[in-house]
């Protein structure tokens, strides 16, 4: 009976493994393999060793790579500020509302925060591009309130465009940290908070000294997901600023740079460079893998066991 159950389990798992291997593992392995060869169009030619990787760090590729990497880093830390500060604060306020009025008292506000997360980033990018365009709703509202005069050019200004894209991405996914932190807070025993109250701790002290250490698993999960998502950022940039990361590559990311190399949108002549693109993809894969492992290890060591 046990062998029969094991065989049935394998049979049920095999279709999923076949699809995963065909559409994930095989393309990944071929991408890693292809990064060590020269290419002519879409045809793989001679073995090139590490020359494709070396070309990444030679001008002009080095300038594009450094700029795109720096933008991804700024994006990541900007998202983390929103998630671990604003998101945690909202979750704490919803948790206090539940404590005072019983379970479900904050369900409406929790759903309200999560609503943007059900929208596709493409839809969100297109929506905010219209709202932030010169003559758009945001400009009209700011001019009407006396907070701004003239045309709104935040997306056309290289000093503000990236920060605005980070804010749009944070708005899109703000409901996720609120949902995860609220669920984490509800898993903490109420006796711990009661003991803190008896010791004279207020709401702020309980958040910092009691809730925050016990939320380390949730913080680690959100940090890891944010790291992966921000370093794979493409859709919002593509929809709002184009594949060039306008203006003047000020919103360029590693994935938009990869797209230009792979599909011939880099430079004036627009010639594809598959070898360089695959080398960039391999480097990004290594950065994400090593970074994810380090983050999981870092937060696992700081998890508080009760």
């Amino acid at each position: 009976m046990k062998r029969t159950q094991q065989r049935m389990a394998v049979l049920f798992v095999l279709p999923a493994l076949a699809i995963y291997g065909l559409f994930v593992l095989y393309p990944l392995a071929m991408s890693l393999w292809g990064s060590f060869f020269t290419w002519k169009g879409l045809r793989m030619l001679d073995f090139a060793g590490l020359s494709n990787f070396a070309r990444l760090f030679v001008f002009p590729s080095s300038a594009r790579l450094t700029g795109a990497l720096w933008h991804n880093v700024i994006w990541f830390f900007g998202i983390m500020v929103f998630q671990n500060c604003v998101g945690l604060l909202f979750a704490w306020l919803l948790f206090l509302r539940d404590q005072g009025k019983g379970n479900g008292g904050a369900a409406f506000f929790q759903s309200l925060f999560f609503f943007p997360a059900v929208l596709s980033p493409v839809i969100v990018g297109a929506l905010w591009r219209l709202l932030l365009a010169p003559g758009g709703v945001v400009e009209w509202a700011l001019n009407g309130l006396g907070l701004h005069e003239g045309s709104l050019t935040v997306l056309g200004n290289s000093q503000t465009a990236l920060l605005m894209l980070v804010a749009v991405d944070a708005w899109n996914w703000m409901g996720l940290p609120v949902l995860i932190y609220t669920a984490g807070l509800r898993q903490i025993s109420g006796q711990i908070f009661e003991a803190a109250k008896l010791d004279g701790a207020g709401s702020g002290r309980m958040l910092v000294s009691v809730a925050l250490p016990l939320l380390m698993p949730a913080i680690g999960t959100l940090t890891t997901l944010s790291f992966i998502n921000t370093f794979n950022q493409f859709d919002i940039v593509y929809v709002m600023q184009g594949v060039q990361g306008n203006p003047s590559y000020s919103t360029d990311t590693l994935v938009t740079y990869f797209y230009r190399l792979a599909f011939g949108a880099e430079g004036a002549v627009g010639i594809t460079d598959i070898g360089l693109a695959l080398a960039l993809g391999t480097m990004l894969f290594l950065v994400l893998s090593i970074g994810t492992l380090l983050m999981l290890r870092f937060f696992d060591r700081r998890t508080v066991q009760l």
Side-chain angles (χ1 to χ4, degrees):
M1 181 64 69
K2 187 175 182 180
R3 287 184 179 181
T4 302
Q5 291 176 345
Q6 290 175 346
R7 290 172 183 171
M8 291 299 297
V10 171
L11 288 176
F12 280 117
V13 171
L14 277 178
L17 288 178
I19 295 174
Y20 182 76
L22 180 62
F23 293 102
V24 177
L25 295 181
Y26 176 72
L28 177 61
M30 292 304 298
S31 297
L32 296 176
W33 178 248
S35 64
F36 296 100
F37 287 81
T38 59
W39 290 73
K40 184 178 181 180
L42 298 177
R43 188 158 55 94
M44 189 166 61
L45 299 178
D46 302 322
F47 183 75
L50 298 175
S51 63
N52 288 327
F53 295 90
R55 289 195 297 131
L56 278 175
F57 301 95
V58 177
F59 186 84
S61 296
S62 59
R64 294 284 179 266
L65 178 66
T66 304
L69 178 61
W70 178 240
H71 296 156
N72 278 113
V73 171
I74 294 175
W75 201 307
F76 170 66
F77 282 103
I79 290 296
M80 289 310 301
V81 168
F82 275 100
Q83 285 189 341
N84 288 334
C85 295
V86 181
L88 180 58
L89 177 60
F90 284 147
W92 180 247
L93 294 175
L94 293 176
F95 175 73
L96 293 179
R97 180 184 177 89
D98 271 352
Q99 293 294 305
K101 297 186 178 182
N103 293 331
F108 170 77
F109 296 99
Q110 194 169 341
S111 302
L112 189 65
F113 281 121
F114 195 75
F115 172 73
V118 304
L119 299 176
S120 166
V122 175
I123 296 176
V124 171
L127 173 65
W128 279 100
R129 183 179 180 180
L130 292 174
L131 293 176
L132 294 170
V137 176
V138 176
E139 178 187 306
W140 173 80
L142 292 177
N143 289 338
L145 295 173
L147 300 176
H148 184 270
E149 293 184 2
S151 179
L152 188 67
T153 59
V154 288
L155 294 180
N157 187 337
S158 59
Q159 303 296 322
T160 59
L162 181 63
L163 297 179
M164 187 54 60
L165 263 61
V166 174
V168 170
D169 189 36
W171 176 85
N172 188 189
W173 296 107
M174 179 57 68
L176 184 62
V178 173
L179 183 67
I180 292 178
Y181 285 139
T182 303
L185 289 168
R186 289 171 179 167
Q187 295 299 315
I188 301 174
S189 174
Q191 295 178 352
I192 298 176
F193 291 114
E194 290 297 331
K197 288 181 181 179
L198 292 176
D199 289 337
S203 298
R205 174 58 65 183
M206 284 193 294
L207 173 62
V208 174
S209 301
V210 179
L212 196 60
L214 296 175
L215 286 174
M216 276 299 165
I219 296 174
T221 299
L222 283 171
T223 302
T224 304
L225 291 176
S226 298
F227 176 72
I228 295 172
N229 290 334
T230 53
F231 275 80
N232 282 311
Q233 189 57 244
F234 174 79
D235 32 24
I236 287 182
V237 180
Y238 183 81
V239 172
M240 296 186 68
Q241 300 297 92
V243 72
Q244 301 290 345
N246 295 319
S248 302
Y249 299 102
S250 61
T251 58
D252 195 19
T253 64
L254 290 173
V255 180
T256 54
Y257 182 39
F258 169 86
Y259 179 92
R260 295 197 305 273
L261 291 173
F263 296 99
E266 175 66 12
V269 292
I271 300 176
T272 61
D273 195 333
I274 300 296
L276 194 62
L278 293 179
L280 175 59
T282 301
M283 188 194 74
L284 181 58
F285 171 75
L286 293 176
V287 168
L288 289 174
S289 300
I290 295 173
T292 299
L293 291 175
L294 291 176
M295 286 183 183
L296 292 175
R297 186 176 182 84
F298 175 82
F299 285 102
D300 183 63
R301 289 182 172 182
R302 282 154 181 79
T303 300
V304 177
Q305 300 292 338
L306 294 177

